[in-house]
mmCIF file of all heavy atoms in Angstrom:
data_model
loop_
_atom_site.group_PDB
_atom_site.id
_atom_site.type_symbol
_atom_site.label_atom_id
_atom_site.label_comp_id
_atom_site.label_asym_id
_atom_site.label_seq_id
_atom_site.Cartn_x
_atom_site.Cartn_y
_atom_site.Cartn_z
ATOM 1 N N ALA A 400 -27.152 96.947 65.311
ATOM 2 C CA ALA A 400 -28.166 95.889 65.333
ATOM 3 C C ALA A 400 -28.986 95.973 66.592
ATOM 4 O O ALA A 400 -28.512 96.281 67.674
ATOM 5 C CB ALA A 400 -27.479 94.523 65.248
ATOM 6 N N LEU A 401 -30.281 95.684 66.437
ATOM 7 C CA LEU A 401 -31.209 95.660 67.560
ATOM 8 C C LEU A 401 -31.804 94.287 67.673
ATOM 9 O O LEU A 401 -31.698 93.460 66.784
ATOM 10 C CB LEU A 401 -32.314 96.707 67.361
ATOM 11 C CG LEU A 401 -31.824 98.164 67.331
ATOM 12 C CD1 LEU A 401 -32.982 99.061 66.982
ATOM 13 C CD2 LEU A 401 -31.212 98.564 68.662
ATOM 14 N N ALA A 402 -32.479 94.072 68.756
ATOM 15 C CA ALA A 402 -33.083 92.767 68.976
ATOM 16 C C ALA A 402 -34.131 92.508 67.918
ATOM 17 O O ALA A 402 -34.939 93.381 67.595
ATOM 18 C CB ALA A 402 -33.725 92.719 70.361
ATOM 19 N N PRO A 403 -34.160 91.313 67.330
ATOM 20 C CA PRO A 403 -35.142 91.001 66.290
ATOM 21 C C PRO A 403 -36.543 90.976 66.860
ATOM 22 O O PRO A 403 -36.770 90.540 67.981
ATOM 23 C CB PRO A 403 -34.716 89.597 65.814
ATOM 24 C CG PRO A 403 -33.977 89.018 66.967
ATOM 25 C CD PRO A 403 -33.301 90.149 67.656
ATOM 26 N N GLU A 404 -37.487 91.473 66.078
ATOM 27 C CA GLU A 404 -38.872 91.472 66.498
ATOM 28 C C GLU A 404 -39.599 90.305 65.867
ATOM 29 O O GLU A 404 -39.193 89.750 64.868
ATOM 30 C CB GLU A 404 -39.547 92.787 66.100
ATOM 31 C CG GLU A 404 -38.935 93.980 66.827
ATOM 32 C CD GLU A 404 -39.758 95.224 66.593
ATOM 33 O OE1 GLU A 404 -40.742 95.125 65.834
ATOM 34 O OE2 GLU A 404 -39.428 96.277 67.163
ATOM 35 N N ARG A 405 -40.720 89.991 66.455
ATOM 36 C CA ARG A 405 -41.508 88.878 65.954
ATOM 37 C C ARG A 405 -42.167 89.256 64.645
ATOM 38 O O ARG A 405 -42.457 90.433 64.406
ATOM 39 C CB ARG A 405 -42.587 88.483 66.983
ATOM 40 C CG ARG A 405 -42.011 87.898 68.248
ATOM 41 C CD ARG A 405 -43.139 87.472 69.156
ATOM 42 N NE ARG A 405 -43.986 88.600 69.509
ATOM 43 C CZ ARG A 405 -43.748 89.380 70.562
ATOM 44 N NH1 ARG A 405 -42.704 89.194 71.320
ATOM 45 N NH2 ARG A 405 -44.571 90.376 70.822
ATOM 46 N N PRO A 406 -42.457 88.271 63.784
ATOM 47 C CA PRO A 406 -43.140 88.567 62.530
ATOM 48 C C PRO A 406 -44.462 89.256 62.796
ATOM 49 O O PRO A 406 -45.221 88.887 63.672
ATOM 50 C CB PRO A 406 -43.326 87.177 61.888
ATOM 51 C CG PRO A 406 -42.257 86.344 62.510
ATOM 52 C CD PRO A 406 -42.072 86.858 63.904
ATOM 53 N N GLY A 407 -44.732 90.263 61.979
ATOM 54 C CA GLY A 407 -45.966 91.002 62.135
ATOM 55 C C GLY A 407 -45.800 92.263 62.947
ATOM 56 O O GLY A 407 -46.709 93.073 63.040
ATOM 57 N N ALA A 408 -44.627 92.459 63.597
ATOM 58 C CA ALA A 408 -44.448 93.627 64.432
ATOM 59 C C ALA A 408 -44.033 94.847 63.634
ATOM 60 O O ALA A 408 -44.277 95.958 64.049
ATOM 61 C CB ALA A 408 -43.400 93.357 65.511
ATOM 62 N N GLY A 409 -43.365 94.663 62.501
ATOM 63 C CA GLY A 409 -42.860 95.785 61.726
ATOM 64 C C GLY A 409 -43.869 96.270 60.723
ATOM 65 O O GLY A 409 -44.892 95.641 60.463
ATOM 66 N N PRO A 410 -43.615 97.443 60.123
ATOM 67 C CA PRO A 410 -44.556 97.988 59.156
ATOM 68 C C PRO A 410 -44.529 97.291 57.822
ATOM 69 O O PRO A 410 -45.447 97.425 57.037
ATOM 70 C CB PRO A 410 -44.114 99.463 59.034
ATOM 71 C CG PRO A 410 -42.658 99.429 59.355
ATOM 72 C CD PRO A 410 -42.487 98.334 60.369
ATOM 73 N N TYR A 411 -43.480 96.536 57.497
ATOM 74 C CA TYR A 411 -43.370 95.846 56.212
ATOM 75 C C TYR A 411 -43.024 94.402 56.499
ATOM 76 O O TYR A 411 -41.882 94.000 56.411
ATOM 77 C CB TYR A 411 -42.295 96.481 55.332
ATOM 78 C CG TYR A 411 -42.461 97.957 55.152
ATOM 79 C CD1 TYR A 411 -41.637 98.855 55.824
ATOM 80 C CD2 TYR A 411 -43.447 98.463 54.328
ATOM 81 C CE1 TYR A 411 -41.800 100.214 55.672
ATOM 82 C CE2 TYR A 411 -43.615 99.822 54.161
ATOM 83 C CZ TYR A 411 -42.792 100.695 54.829
ATOM 84 O OH TYR A 411 -42.938 102.033 54.671
ATOM 85 N N ASP A 412 -44.014 93.602 56.865
ATOM 86 C CA ASP A 412 -43.724 92.247 57.289
ATOM 87 C C ASP A 412 -44.179 91.191 56.303
ATOM 88 O O ASP A 412 -43.838 90.037 56.454
ATOM 89 C CB ASP A 412 -44.397 91.954 58.641
ATOM 90 C CG ASP A 412 -43.475 92.278 59.804
ATOM 91 O OD1 ASP A 412 -42.264 92.140 59.619
ATOM 92 O OD2 ASP A 412 -43.972 92.675 60.855
ATOM 93 N N THR A 413 -44.986 91.534 55.317
ATOM 94 C CA THR A 413 -45.386 90.524 54.358
ATOM 95 C C THR A 413 -44.230 90.213 53.433
ATOM 96 O O THR A 413 -43.369 91.055 53.172
ATOM 97 C CB THR A 413 -46.597 91.005 53.529
ATOM 98 O OG1 THR A 413 -46.204 92.166 52.811
ATOM 99 C CG2 THR A 413 -47.762 91.350 54.442
ATOM 100 N N GLU A 414 -44.226 89.002 52.914
ATOM 101 C CA GLU A 414 -43.099 88.566 52.081
ATOM 102 C C GLU A 414 -42.995 89.420 50.839
ATOM 103 O O GLU A 414 -41.913 89.781 50.391
ATOM 104 C CB GLU A 414 -43.305 87.102 51.711
ATOM 105 C CG GLU A 414 -42.180 86.523 50.873
ATOM 106 C CD GLU A 414 -40.864 86.474 51.635
ATOM 107 O OE1 GLU A 414 -40.899 86.457 52.893
ATOM 108 O OE2 GLU A 414 -39.810 86.465 50.988
ATOM 109 N N GLN A 415 -44.135 89.779 50.278
ATOM 110 C CA GLN A 415 -44.092 90.574 49.053
ATOM 111 C C GLN A 415 -43.557 91.968 49.330
ATOM 112 O O GLN A 415 -42.804 92.528 48.549
ATOM 113 C CB GLN A 415 -45.498 90.665 48.466
ATOM 114 C CG GLN A 415 -45.526 91.467 47.166
ATOM 115 C CD GLN A 415 -46.920 91.592 46.639
ATOM 116 O OE1 GLN A 415 -47.847 91.124 47.254
ATOM 117 N NE2 GLN A 415 -47.066 92.214 45.523
ATOM 118 N N GLU A 416 -43.919 92.575 50.500
ATOM 119 C CA GLU A 416 -43.442 93.904 50.806
ATOM 120 C C GLU A 416 -41.969 93.889 51.161
ATOM 121 O O GLU A 416 -41.273 94.880 50.983
ATOM 122 C CB GLU A 416 -44.261 94.493 51.955
ATOM 123 C CG GLU A 416 -45.689 94.845 51.534
ATOM 124 C CD GLU A 416 -46.506 95.355 52.710
ATOM 125 O OE1 GLU A 416 -46.118 95.063 53.852
ATOM 126 O OE2 GLU A 416 -47.511 96.004 52.477
ATOM 127 N N ARG A 417 -41.466 92.773 51.717
ATOM 128 C CA ARG A 417 -40.050 92.705 52.035
ATOM 129 C C ARG A 417 -39.219 92.526 50.777
ATOM 130 O O ARG A 417 -38.101 93.008 50.685
ATOM 131 C CB ARG A 417 -39.773 91.559 53.016
ATOM 132 C CG ARG A 417 -40.159 91.890 54.439
ATOM 133 C CD ARG A 417 -39.521 90.898 55.381
ATOM 134 N NE ARG A 417 -39.928 89.536 55.126
ATOM 135 C CZ ARG A 417 -40.945 88.949 55.732
ATOM 136 N NH1 ARG A 417 -41.675 89.620 56.604
ATOM 137 N NH2 ARG A 417 -41.259 87.696 55.470
#
Side-chain angles (χ1 to χ4, degrees):
L401 296 174
E404 295 189 357
R405 293 183 300 271
Y411 307 105
D412 269 329
T413 62
E414 181 65 23
Q415 181 182 2
E416 289 177 339
R417 283 196 300 267

